[in-house]
Each structure stands twice: as C-alpha cells, then as structure tokens.
Amino acid sequence: IKNILKVCTCKLLPTILSAFYRQFPSCEVHTVELSTTLLRLQLDAKQLDFIVDVPSPDTVTYCNELLLNEPILLAVPRSFLPRIQPQGGALELNALSGEPFILLPPEQMLGGICQKMCEQAGFLPDLRLQCSSVERALSLAAQQLGITFAPESYIPLFNVQKELAYFYLEDKYEAFWTFCVVYPQNVTPSTPARFFLQETQRLFGR
C-alpha cells in the first residue's frame, strides 16, 4: 500500500500506522510528499493507492472522499496588536488594510484563498514578502515582518505561538480549505488500503 498524507503527518501517521500494522503486520507502506501535480501523475500511473490532498475537479476520473474543511487563521505579530486593536479577541479582516502581509503565491491554493479573502474584505494586501511554504511564512511573521495566514493544523507544528496572535475569520469569508482522500474511480481500493483510508478518515477527518 502506498499513500500520501499531506497535512499533519508527523502527528497522525504514527497512530494510523500502529493500528494498521496490528491488522496487517506483513504489509509494506510507502509514503511520499510531493506537489498535487506529481501526486496525481503517480496516482494515474498506479504508483499510489490514494492521496490526501485538495479535491480533484475531475470527478469522472477521481473519487473524492471528504476528510475535513480545515479553518485558516490570521497570524498576527504581537507587536502589531496595539495599533490594530482587536475587539474582544475578534479581528475584522478589513482593519488590516495597509498592514504588511507575508503570503504564498496566488497560484498556490492557500495563497489564492488568502488573496481572495483580502479582496472580499475590500483591499489588496500590501505584500511585503512572498514565500512558498506556510512554515516559512510563519517564521517570517514571528520576526514581526508582517501578517500571514495559516491552516489550523500547522500552528502547533512550529514554535511560533509566543510571537504571534491567531484569529479566526468570520464565516462570510469561508476561511477554510478542503482535504479529501482521492483515488481513481475505476479502482476498488484493496482491503489494506481501505483500512488505511478508514483509519485516516477516523483520526484526521472532521
């Protein structure tokens, strides 16, 4: 069985594998972490049983089984708080117009979602820095260089909680990204693959 767990593998994978090997002690598991494009190429080539990733728009070729809609939070340097002045722990996104931002490129899914939310709030973000990973964006924000966004599951993984304040966004922004288990429509997952998939959904999904 081969698979990909793209988010929180370091937290969930040991638990999933422990349950898996109790059921299938002689089965071999390979995990890979690649871009969506490369993962889907390997899925098409039958090199992977399934991937955990954003939903495939091609629902004729692929089956998407929903895992979760993960919230995306604002990560604000604590030195910015006196001038931003959040009210009662809440922060309106349009109050950040004119503040420096650290964002992923808009062609990346998370970067595109964040750009769209800022535009929905009525402003274009003042882009101070652009980087290709959430980890880098959070580390730069922790140096008080700008505001960024982070999926909820990423926040405990990096040691930047003291330097940053995190805020949920209002429902109107639909501040989340969706993850699914994706596998070919014309392939029935093997018994070990189905068990692995079910354990992933049980522990990871919500």
PDB file of all heavy atoms in Angstrom, residues 36-64:
ATOM      1  N   THR A  36       0.718  18.513  -5.769  1.00  0.00           N
ATOM      2  CA  THR A  36      -0.516  17.900  -6.249  1.00  0.00           C
ATOM      3  C   THR A  36      -0.343  17.339  -7.654  1.00  0.00           C
ATOM      4  O   THR A  36      -0.790  16.225  -7.949  1.00  0.00           O
ATOM      5  CB  THR A  36      -1.658  18.935  -6.231  1.00  0.00           C
ATOM      6  OG1 THR A  36      -1.935  19.274  -4.866  1.00  0.00           O
ATOM      7  CG2 THR A  36      -2.925  18.381  -6.869  1.00  0.00           C
ATOM      8  N   THR A  37       0.326  18.081  -8.523  1.00  0.00           N
ATOM      9  CA  THR A  37       0.515  17.633  -9.912  1.00  0.00           C
ATOM     10  C   THR A  37       1.271  16.309  -9.958  1.00  0.00           C
ATOM     11  O   THR A  37       0.858  15.355 -10.636  1.00  0.00           O
ATOM     12  CB  THR A  37       1.275  18.691 -10.715  1.00  0.00           C
ATOM     13  OG1 THR A  37       0.520  19.906 -10.728  1.00  0.00           O
ATOM     14  CG2 THR A  37       1.496  18.226 -12.150  1.00  0.00           C
ATOM     15  N   LEU A  38       2.374  16.222  -9.205  1.00  0.00           N
ATOM     16  CA  LEU A  38       3.174  14.992  -9.227  1.00  0.00           C
ATOM     17  C   LEU A  38       2.444  13.841  -8.552  1.00  0.00           C
ATOM     18  O   LEU A  38       2.525  12.689  -9.000  1.00  0.00           O
ATOM     19  CB  LEU A  38       4.519  15.237  -8.548  1.00  0.00           C
ATOM     20  CG  LEU A  38       5.477  16.178  -9.296  1.00  0.00           C
ATOM     21  CD1 LEU A  38       6.732  16.425  -8.478  1.00  0.00           C
ATOM     22  CD2 LEU A  38       5.836  15.594 -10.665  1.00  0.00           C
ATOM     23  N   LEU A  39       1.697  14.147  -7.491  1.00  0.00           N
ATOM     24  CA  LEU A  39       0.935  13.084  -6.828  1.00  0.00           C
ATOM     25  C   LEU A  39      -0.097  12.484  -7.773  1.00  0.00           C
ATOM     26  O   LEU A  39      -0.262  11.266  -7.838  1.00  0.00           O
ATOM     27  CB  LEU A  39       0.241  13.639  -5.586  1.00  0.00           C
ATOM     28  CG  LEU A  39       1.134  13.935  -4.386  1.00  0.00           C
ATOM     29  CD1 LEU A  39       0.332  14.622  -3.287  1.00  0.00           C
ATOM     30  CD2 LEU A  39       1.765  12.660  -3.850  1.00  0.00           C
ATOM     31  N   ARG A  40      -0.781  13.331  -8.521  1.00  0.00           N
ATOM     32  CA  ARG A  40      -1.821  12.823  -9.420  1.00  0.00           C
ATOM     33  C   ARG A  40      -1.220  12.067 -10.595  1.00  0.00           C
ATOM     34  O   ARG A  40      -1.822  11.116 -11.103  1.00  0.00           O
ATOM     35  CB  ARG A  40      -2.724  13.971  -9.857  1.00  0.00           C
ATOM     36  CG  ARG A  40      -3.596  14.437  -8.698  1.00  0.00           C
ATOM     37  CD  ARG A  40      -4.568  15.518  -9.041  1.00  0.00           C
ATOM     38  NE  ARG A  40      -5.337  15.865  -7.847  1.00  0.00           N
ATOM     39  CZ  ARG A  40      -6.020  16.979  -7.698  1.00  0.00           C
ATOM     40  NH1 ARG A  40      -6.044  17.865  -8.659  1.00  0.00           N
ATOM     41  NH2 ARG A  40      -6.692  17.218  -6.587  1.00  0.00           N
ATOM     42  N   LEU A  41      -0.039  12.479 -11.034  1.00  0.00           N
ATOM     43  CA  LEU A  41       0.646  11.710 -12.075  1.00  0.00           C
ATOM     44  C   LEU A  41       0.977  10.310 -11.563  1.00  0.00           C
ATOM     45  O   LEU A  41       0.809   9.314 -12.277  1.00  0.00           O
ATOM     46  CB  LEU A  41       1.913  12.438 -12.515  1.00  0.00           C
ATOM     47  CG  LEU A  41       1.721  13.671 -13.405  1.00  0.00           C
ATOM     48  CD1 LEU A  41       3.050  14.381 -13.617  1.00  0.00           C
ATOM     49  CD2 LEU A  41       1.115  13.272 -14.750  1.00  0.00           C
ATOM     50  N   GLN A  42       1.437  10.216 -10.311  1.00  0.00           N
ATOM     51  CA  GLN A  42       1.756   8.906  -9.746  1.00  0.00           C
ATOM     52  C   GLN A  42       0.493   8.088  -9.487  1.00  0.00           C
ATOM     53  O   GLN A  42       0.493   6.868  -9.644  1.00  0.00           O
ATOM     54  CB  GLN A  42       2.554   9.076  -8.451  1.00  0.00           C
ATOM     55  CG  GLN A  42       3.952   9.622  -8.680  1.00  0.00           C
ATOM     56  CD  GLN A  42       4.846   9.453  -7.466  1.00  0.00           C
ATOM     57  OE1 GLN A  42       4.499   8.785  -6.499  1.00  0.00           O
ATOM     58  NE2 GLN A  42       6.025  10.069  -7.519  1.00  0.00           N
ATOM     59  N   LEU A  43      -0.586   8.773  -9.136  1.00  0.00           N
ATOM     60  CA  LEU A  43      -1.860   8.079  -8.954  1.00  0.00           C
ATOM     61  C   LEU A  43      -2.331   7.494 -10.285  1.00  0.00           C
ATOM     62  O   LEU A  43      -2.783   6.347 -10.347  1.00  0.00           O
ATOM     63  CB  LEU A  43      -2.890   9.059  -8.393  1.00  0.00           C
ATOM     64  CG  LEU A  43      -4.176   8.486  -7.799  1.00  0.00           C
ATOM     65  CD1 LEU A  43      -3.880   7.586  -6.608  1.00  0.00           C
ATOM     66  CD2 LEU A  43      -5.110   9.623  -7.380  1.00  0.00           C
ATOM     67  N   ASP A  44      -2.214   8.286 -11.353  1.00  0.00           N
ATOM     68  CA  ASP A  44      -2.606   7.808 -12.688  1.00  0.00           C
ATOM     69  C   ASP A  44      -1.759   6.615 -13.130  1.00  0.00           C
ATOM     70  O   ASP A  44      -2.246   5.728 -13.834  1.00  0.00           O
ATOM     71  CB  ASP A  44      -2.469   8.940 -13.717  1.00  0.00           C
ATOM     72  CG  ASP A  44      -3.529  10.017 -13.544  1.00  0.00           C
ATOM     73  OD1 ASP A  44      -4.569   9.733 -12.919  1.00  0.00           O
ATOM     74  OD2 ASP A  44      -3.307  11.143 -14.028  1.00  0.00           O
ATOM     75  N   ALA A  45      -0.494   6.628 -12.735  1.00  0.00           N
ATOM     76  CA  ALA A  45       0.420   5.559 -13.124  1.00  0.00           C
ATOM     77  C   ALA A  45       0.311   4.341 -12.198  1.00  0.00           C
ATOM     78  O   ALA A  45       1.106   3.410 -12.316  1.00  0.00           O
ATOM     79  CB  ALA A  45       1.856   6.074 -13.127  1.00  0.00           C
ATOM     80  N   LYS A  46      -0.672   4.378 -11.275  1.00  0.00           N
ATOM     81  CA  LYS A  46      -0.901   3.284 -10.322  1.00  0.00           C
ATOM     82  C   LYS A  46       0.293   3.056  -9.402  1.00  0.00           C
ATOM     83  O   LYS A  46       0.526   1.943  -8.905  1.00  0.00           O
ATOM     84  CB  LYS A  46      -1.282   1.995 -11.055  1.00  0.00           C
ATOM     85  CG  LYS A  46      -2.597   2.089 -11.808  1.00  0.00           C
ATOM     86  CD  LYS A  46      -2.974   0.778 -12.474  1.00  0.00           C
ATOM     87  CE  LYS A  46      -4.367   0.814 -13.063  1.00  0.00           C
ATOM     88  NZ  LYS A  46      -4.607   1.905 -14.005  1.00  0.00           N
ATOM     89  N   GLN A  47       1.072   4.113  -9.173  1.00  0.00           N
ATOM     90  CA  GLN A  47       2.175   4.045  -8.221  1.00  0.00           C
ATOM     91  C   GLN A  47       1.707   4.362  -6.801  1.00  0.00           C
ATOM     92  O   GLN A  47       2.439   4.129  -5.842  1.00  0.00           O
ATOM     93  CB  GLN A  47       3.276   5.013  -8.643  1.00  0.00           C
ATOM     94  CG  GLN A  47       3.916   4.661  -9.974  1.00  0.00           C
ATOM     95  CD  GLN A  47       4.875   5.725 -10.459  1.00  0.00           C
ATOM     96  OE1 GLN A  47       5.044   6.769  -9.833  1.00  0.00           O
ATOM     97  NE2 GLN A  47       5.515   5.474 -11.595  1.00  0.00           N
ATOM     98  N   LEU A  48       0.504   4.926  -6.675  1.00  0.00           N
ATOM     99  CA  LEU A  48      -0.098   5.242  -5.382  1.00  0.00           C
ATOM    100  C   LEU A  48      -1.494   4.645  -5.325  1.00  0.00           C
ATOM    101  O   LEU A  48      -2.193   4.585  -6.345  1.00  0.00           O
ATOM    102  CB  LEU A  48      -0.193   6.759  -5.175  1.00  0.00           C
ATOM    103  CG  LEU A  48       1.104   7.574  -5.206  1.00  0.00           C
ATOM    104  CD1 LEU A  48       0.791   9.060  -5.118  1.00  0.00           C
ATOM    105  CD2 LEU A  48       2.029   7.161  -4.080  1.00  0.00           C
ATOM    106  N   ASP A  49      -1.902   4.212  -4.135  1.00  0.00           N
ATOM    107  CA  ASP A  49      -3.272   3.741  -3.950  1.00  0.00           C
ATOM    108  C   ASP A  49      -4.244   4.907  -3.808  1.00  0.00           C
ATOM    109  O   ASP A  49      -5.357   4.876  -4.328  1.00  0.00           O
ATOM    110  CB  ASP A  49      -3.367   2.856  -2.711  1.00  0.00           C
ATOM    111  CG  ASP A  49      -2.628   1.537  -2.899  1.00  0.00           C
ATOM    112  OD1 ASP A  49      -2.988   0.788  -3.817  1.00  0.00           O
ATOM    113  OD2 ASP A  49      -1.688   1.279  -2.128  1.00  0.00           O
ATOM    114  N   PHE A  50      -3.845   5.915  -3.062  1.00  0.00           N
ATOM    115  CA  PHE A  50      -4.674   7.102  -2.895  1.00  0.00           C
ATOM    116  C   PHE A  50      -3.791   8.242  -2.420  1.00  0.00           C
ATOM    117  O   PHE A  50      -2.638   8.038  -2.003  1.00  0.00           O
ATOM    118  CB  PHE A  50      -5.829   6.867  -1.906  1.00  0.00           C
ATOM    119  CG  PHE A  50      -5.406   6.530  -0.505  1.00  0.00           C
ATOM    120  CD1 PHE A  50      -5.102   7.529   0.413  1.00  0.00           C
ATOM    121  CD2 PHE A  50      -5.327   5.211  -0.094  1.00  0.00           C
ATOM    122  CE1 PHE A  50      -4.718   7.218   1.709  1.00  0.00           C
ATOM    123  CE2 PHE A  50      -4.946   4.891   1.205  1.00  0.00           C
ATOM    124  CZ  PHE A  50      -4.637   5.905   2.109  1.00  0.00           C
ATOM    125  N   ILE A  51      -4.321   9.445  -2.489  1.00  0.00           N
ATOM    126  CA  ILE A  51      -3.621  10.615  -1.964  1.00  0.00           C
ATOM    127  C   ILE A  51      -4.570  11.376  -1.048  1.00  0.00           C
ATOM    128  O   ILE A  51      -5.796  11.294  -1.189  1.00  0.00           O
ATOM    129  CB  ILE A  51      -3.082  11.541  -3.083  1.00  0.00           C
ATOM    130  CG1 ILE A  51      -4.217  12.117  -3.923  1.00  0.00           C
ATOM    131  CG2 ILE A  51      -2.096  10.798  -3.962  1.00  0.00           C
ATOM    132  CD1 ILE A  51      -3.747  13.121  -4.980  1.00  0.00           C
ATOM    133  N   VAL A  52      -4.001  12.090  -0.095  1.00  0.00           N
ATOM    134  CA  VAL A  52      -4.753  13.032   0.728  1.00  0.00           C
ATOM    135  C   VAL A  52      -4.349  14.415   0.257  1.00  0.00           C
ATOM    136  O   VAL A  52      -3.195  14.824   0.394  1.00  0.00           O
ATOM    137  CB  VAL A  52      -4.447  12.845   2.227  1.00  0.00           C
ATOM    138  CG1 VAL A  52      -5.159  13.912   3.053  1.00  0.00           C
ATOM    139  CG2 VAL A  52      -4.875  11.462   2.679  1.00  0.00           C
ATOM    140  N   ASP A  53      -5.304  15.116  -0.326  1.00  0.00           N
ATOM    141  CA  ASP A  53      -4.969  16.379  -0.990  1.00  0.00           C
ATOM    142  C   ASP A  53      -6.257  17.166  -1.185  1.00  0.00           C
ATOM    143  O   ASP A  53      -7.333  16.754  -0.732  1.00  0.00           O
ATOM    144  CB  ASP A  53      -4.291  16.077  -2.337  1.00  0.00           C
ATOM    145  CG  ASP A  53      -3.498  17.267  -2.870  1.00  0.00           C
ATOM    146  OD1 ASP A  53      -3.134  18.149  -2.080  1.00  0.00           O
ATOM    147  OD2 ASP A  53      -3.251  17.300  -4.087  1.00  0.00           O
ATOM    148  N   VAL A  54      -6.151  18.282  -1.862  1.00  0.00           N
ATOM    149  CA  VAL A  54      -7.340  19.052  -2.218  1.00  0.00           C
ATOM    150  C   VAL A  54      -8.174  18.232  -3.210  1.00  0.00           C
ATOM    151  O   VAL A  54      -7.641  17.361  -3.899  1.00  0.00           O
ATOM    152  CB  VAL A  54      -6.956  20.413  -2.832  1.00  0.00           C
ATOM    153  CG1 VAL A  54      -6.205  21.254  -1.798  1.00  0.00           C
ATOM    154  CG2 VAL A  54      -6.111  20.246  -4.090  1.00  0.00           C
ATOM    155  N   PRO A  55      -9.479  18.464  -3.266  1.00  0.00           N
ATOM    156  CA  PRO A  55     -10.317  17.656  -4.157  1.00  0.00           C
ATOM    157  C   PRO A  55      -9.905  17.797  -5.621  1.00  0.00           C
ATOM    158  O   PRO A  55      -9.502  18.874  -6.065  1.00  0.00           O
ATOM    159  CB  PRO A  55     -11.726  18.222  -3.938  1.00  0.00           C
ATOM    160  CG  PRO A  55     -11.661  18.976  -2.668  1.00  0.00           C
ATOM    161  CD  PRO A  55     -10.256  19.463  -2.523  1.00  0.00           C
ATOM    162  N   SER A  56     -10.033  16.715  -6.348  1.00  0.00           N
ATOM    163  CA  SER A  56      -9.800  16.779  -7.787  1.00  0.00           C
ATOM    164  C   SER A  56     -11.045  17.334  -8.476  1.00  0.00           C
ATOM    165  O   SER A  56     -12.158  16.884  -8.204  1.00  0.00           O
ATOM    166  CB  SER A  56      -9.498  15.389  -8.338  1.00  0.00           C
ATOM    167  OG  SER A  56      -9.484  15.418  -9.758  1.00  0.00           O
ATOM    168  N   PRO A  57     -10.881  18.303  -9.377  1.00  0.00           N
ATOM    169  CA  PRO A  57     -12.044  18.792 -10.122  1.00  0.00           C
ATOM    170  C   PRO A  57     -12.570  17.776 -11.136  1.00  0.00           C
ATOM    171  O   PRO A  57     -13.693  17.888 -11.606  1.00  0.00           O
ATOM    172  CB  PRO A  57     -11.506  20.045 -10.830  1.00  0.00           C
ATOM    173  CG  PRO A  57     -10.039  19.823 -10.941  1.00  0.00           C
ATOM    174  CD  PRO A  57      -9.645  19.017  -9.737  1.00  0.00           C
ATOM    175  N   ASP A  58     -11.762  16.770 -11.451  1.00  0.00           N
ATOM    176  CA  ASP A  58     -12.136  15.744 -12.428  1.00  0.00           C
ATOM    177  C   ASP A  58     -12.845  14.606 -11.702  1.00  0.00           C
ATOM    178  O   ASP A  58     -12.240  13.593 -11.339  1.00  0.00           O
ATOM    179  CB  ASP A  58     -10.891  15.237 -13.157  1.00  0.00           C
ATOM    180  CG  ASP A  58     -11.212  14.193 -14.216  1.00  0.00           C
ATOM    181  OD1 ASP A  58     -12.411  13.887 -14.415  1.00  0.00           O
ATOM    182  OD2 ASP A  58     -10.265  13.676 -14.834  1.00  0.00           O
ATOM    183  N   THR A  59     -14.143  14.759 -11.475  1.00  0.00           N
ATOM    184  CA  THR A  59     -14.900  13.756 -10.729  1.00  0.00           C
ATOM    185  C   THR A  59     -15.292  12.554 -11.591  1.00  0.00           C
ATOM    186  O   THR A  59     -15.852  11.592 -11.072  1.00  0.00           O
ATOM    187  CB  THR A  59     -16.157  14.382 -10.109  1.00  0.00           C
ATOM    188  OG1 THR A  59     -16.941  14.990 -11.141  1.00  0.00           O
ATOM    189  CG2 THR A  59     -15.779  15.433  -9.077  1.00  0.00           C
ATOM    190  N   VAL A  60     -15.018  12.614 -12.884  1.00  0.00           N
ATOM    191  CA  VAL A  60     -15.222  11.448 -13.741  1.00  0.00           C
ATOM    192  C   VAL A  60     -14.086  10.446 -13.528  1.00  0.00           C
ATOM    193  O   VAL A  60     -14.301   9.235 -13.450  1.00  0.00           O
ATOM    194  CB  VAL A  60     -15.304  11.866 -15.221  1.00  0.00           C
ATOM    195  CG1 VAL A  60     -15.360  10.639 -16.124  1.00  0.00           C
ATOM    196  CG2 VAL A  60     -16.520  12.756 -15.455  1.00  0.00           C
ATOM    197  N   THR A  61     -12.867  10.974 -13.396  1.00  0.00           N
ATOM    198  CA  THR A  61     -11.685  10.123 -13.244  1.00  0.00           C
ATOM    199  C   THR A  61     -11.416   9.756 -11.797  1.00  0.00           C
ATOM    200  O   THR A  61     -10.989   8.637 -11.510  1.00  0.00           O
ATOM    201  CB  THR A  61     -10.453  10.833 -13.830  1.00  0.00           C
ATOM    202  OG1 THR A  61     -10.728  11.191 -15.201  1.00  0.00           O
ATOM    203  CG2 THR A  61      -9.224   9.938 -13.795  1.00  0.00           C
ATOM    204  N   TYR A  62     -11.687  10.700 -10.875  1.00  0.00           N
ATOM    205  CA  TYR A  62     -11.304  10.504  -9.486  1.00  0.00           C
ATOM    206  C   TYR A  62     -12.512  10.511  -8.561  1.00  0.00           C
ATOM    207  O   TYR A  62     -13.497  11.217  -8.796  1.00  0.00           O
ATOM    208  CB  TYR A  62     -10.354  11.617  -9.024  1.00  0.00           C
ATOM    209  CG  TYR A  62      -9.055  11.679  -9.777  1.00  0.00           C
ATOM    210  CD1 TYR A  62      -8.812  12.700 -10.698  1.00  0.00           C
ATOM    211  CD2 TYR A  62      -8.050  10.735  -9.573  1.00  0.00           C
ATOM    212  CE1 TYR A  62      -7.615  12.772 -11.390  1.00  0.00           C
ATOM    213  CE2 TYR A  62      -6.856  10.809 -10.258  1.00  0.00           C
ATOM    214  CZ  TYR A  62      -6.640  11.820 -11.165  1.00  0.00           C
ATOM    215  OH  TYR A  62      -5.460  11.878 -11.844  1.00  0.00           O
ATOM    216  N   CYS A  63     -12.394   9.748  -7.492  1.00  0.00           N
ATOM    217  CA  CYS A  63     -13.355   9.788  -6.392  1.00  0.00           C
ATOM    218  C   CYS A  63     -12.763  10.644  -5.280  1.00  0.00           C
ATOM    219  O   CYS A  63     -11.604  10.449  -4.894  1.00  0.00           O
ATOM    220  CB  CYS A  63     -13.634   8.380  -5.887  1.00  0.00           C
ATOM    221  SG  CYS A  63     -14.762   8.302  -4.486  1.00  0.00           S
ATOM    222  N   ASN A  64     -13.536  11.605  -4.772  1.00  0.00           N
ATOM    223  CA  ASN A  64     -13.112  12.458  -3.662  1.00  0.00           C
ATOM    224  C   ASN A  64     -13.931  12.112  -2.423  1.00  0.00           C
ATOM    225  O   ASN A  64     -15.145  12.306  -2.406  1.00  0.00           O
ATOM    226  CB  ASN A  64     -13.341  13.938  -4.001  1.00  0.00           C
ATOM    227  CG  ASN A  64     -12.529  14.412  -5.181  1.00  0.00           C
ATOM    228  OD1 ASN A  64     -11.316  14.210  -5.235  1.00  0.00           O
ATOM    229  ND2 ASN A  64     -13.180  15.041  -6.140  1.00  0.00           N
TER     230      ASN A  64
END
